[in-house]
Amino acid sequence: MKYIYILLLSISCLILTGCGGGGGGDNGVVLTPQQQEFADVVYAFATAVNEKDKERAMGLVMSTLSYNQTYGYKDFKNRLENFIDKAENIDFKINDIGVSLTLSDLNDELAEIRASVSISYNTNEVINEILEINVEKSGTGSNKGITLFQKYSDKASAFPPVLE
């Protein structure tokens, strides 16, 4: 009788070991397709900055932008254009991203995004921050854009820096 219990216990352990699953290559959080749609706006913004495409980058920013809680669209645009014009070797990397969806009113959807980023430029300059970015989608579903851009926690992002 002891032999059967030991055999059953051994089989159970083998089965449970097989259920542990193998790791994948992705250690990050998996986003739903809807969350990914909003995250893609942030990825597209980073790509546009890396390619020094001011028009495409600002095309992803809505005119209602709140920047660092004090400034607006025009201030952000001026700083971004200055940065893109004067910086060399820009590498805007999104290291980790999380997306939380909310309903801003009856027709619009809003995603609150936190992204750990590393932005290097001019060979030895680096900005490492966790950004808080809101992306809004209009009721028509066609317009998506950044409506809030700031550093998470203390609210003042160092990006884009003003370069001389």
Side-chain angles (χ1 to χ4, degrees), residues 32-160:
T32 67
Q34 189 177 17
Q35 290 172 320
Q36 187 65 52
E37 186 179 342
F38 287 93
D40 286 345
V41 173
V42 179
Y43 286 118
F45 177 80
T47 299
V49 170
N50 287 338
E51 294 173 356
K52 299 185 87 166
D53 188 338
K54 296 182 280 192
E55 287 183 33
R56 190 165 43 124
M58 287 309 297
L60 296 163
V61 176
M62 297 187 92
S63 62
T64 57
L65 176 77
S66 174
Y67 172 57
N68 287 344
Q69 288 191 326
T70 307
Y71 304 103
Y73 176 88
K74 186 176 178 183
D75 299 303
F76 184 79
K77 181 180 181 194
N78 290 339
R79 287 181 69 135
L80 184 66
E81 287 177 348
N82 168 272
F83 175 72
I84 288 175
D85 287 341
K86 295 183 178 179
E88 296 179 17
N89 305 316
I90 301 171
D91 187 18
F92 190 132
K93 288 183 187 172
I94 299 170
N95 303 317
D96 193 21
I97 194 164
V99 179
S100 175
L101 299 175
T102 61
L103 193 60
S104 63
D105 65 27
L106 295 176
N107 296 319
D108 295 345
E109 290 180 79
L110 178 69
E112 296 173 348
I113 298 171
R114 293 216 175 91
S116 171
V117 302
S118 173
I119 305 152
S120 61
Y121 59 98
N122 293 351
T123 311
N124 60 354
E125 300 293 328
V126 179
I127 298 170
N128 290 304
E129 318 188 298
I130 297 176
L131 294 175
E132 183 174 359
I133 301 170
N134 286 358
V135 175
E136 189 172 312
K137 179 170 85 171
S138 72
T140 63
S142 59
N143 291 345
K144 287 183 214 59
I146 297 169
T147 59
L148 174 74
F149 193 101
Q150 62 192 22
K151 183 176 180 180
Y152 178 68
S153 76
D154 69 3
K155 310 299 183 203
S157 173
F159 181 81

